[in-house]
Amino acid sequence: MKKFKLLKLAPLLFASSICNVQAAQIFVDLVPGGGIDSTLTAFTGTSIDVDILIDDVTDFAGFEFDLNFSDPMLNATAVTSGGIFGLDGFELDNQINTSSISFSETSVAAFGLDISLGSPTLLATISFDIVGVGSDPLNANNIVLSDSLGFGIGSVTVINAQLTTENSGVTPAPGVLALMFVGLGFVSLRKNIKSNQ
């Protein structure tokens, strides 16, 4: 069972059942920058960044989440903090596994910190290499949010994403193909000359 690192660290947590009743939203955004894109078609041999965003939260001071993905399609290469807590941010967990990542961060200046968000704000960016074809969801789960007193932020709505990957279909330029055929012709000609001698 997953241990809730943030709630264990909070010194003022009186009982695990005490929760801040506010709601929050978590988004998995497949096209960083601009709006939130929950679908994308990408190609093998390329790389993509996936943003994890948070919105509609007040007195925010810590988080943790997992992101699950299809390992035959994707290879996670890096997880980078969004820097939401600035210089006071402290990473608790940053793990890349075969088909999931785990990331958590808190503010070391949690008491008196009052981060309130009314628009989608970056928690972390996950970088992937696309290594296979298919269609699979990227699901954020095991989400724990905490306020500046260490209490859990209760209701979290998660908007996950659907990624489709296809073969790149990259074909060599015509000049490259012509050179390749010329080279094969020379090899064939050389073999014929040797066999006739």
Side-chain angles (χ1 to χ4, degrees):
M1 180 174 232
K2 185 169 177 68
K3 295 179 182 176
F4 296 143
K5 301 169 203 73
L6 295 174
L7 298 180
K8 287 174 132 185
L9 287 175
L12 294 181
L13 181 62
F14 298 110
S16 61
S17 61
I18 299 175
C19 277
N20 182 330
V21 295
Q22 68 173 308
Q25 292 182 305
I26 298 288
F27 301 92
V28 179
D29 182 16
L30 296 178
V31 183
I36 296 171
D37 299 287
S38 59
T39 60
L40 176 69
T41 299
F43 299 96
T44 56
T46 63
S47 299
I48 61 168
D49 288 335
V50 174
D51 283 350
I52 307 301
L53 306 168
I54 188 168
D55 193 6
D56 294 330
V57 65
T58 58
D59 191 24
F60 178 55
F63 66 90
E64 72 178 80
F65 67 87
D66 292 344
L67 183 73
N68 294 350
F69 55 89
S70 173
D71 62 319
M73 288 170 46
L74 298 171
N75 178 35
T77 58
V79 183
T80 307
S81 170
I84 195 167
F85 302 124
L87 296 176
D88 294 325
F90 180 74
E91 283 185 18
L92 300 172
D93 189 17
N94 185 339
Q95 292 184 19
I96 297 175
N97 303 304
T98 304
S99 59
S100 68
I101 67 99
S102 297
F103 189 78
S104 60
E105 189 173 7
T106 191
S107 172
V108 294
F111 306 107
L113 181 74
D114 185 13
I115 293 180
S116 297
L117 305 171
S119 62
T121 304
L122 181 65
L123 293 179
T125 299
I126 302 101
S127 298
F128 291 100
D129 290 335
I130 300 173
V131 295
V133 297
S135 183
D136 207 51
L138 278 75
N139 291 329
N141 53 51
N142 295 325
I143 296 166
V144 178
L145 307 177
S146 66
D147 65 18
S148 63
L149 296 178
F151 297 126
I153 294 174
S155 175
V156 180
T157 301
V158 181
I159 311 299
N160 288 308
Q162 183 77 26
L163 176 66
T164 301
T165 60
E166 299 177 354
N167 282 321
S168 61
V170 173
T171 56
V176 173
L177 286 173
L179 285 174
M180 187 175 73
F181 286 121
V182 168
L184 287 173
F186 281 127
V187 169
S188 176
L189 181 64
R190 186 172 176 188
K191 284 184 179 180
N192 285 339
I193 291 172
K194 280 188 175 183
S195 65
N196 289 335
Q197 289 180 353

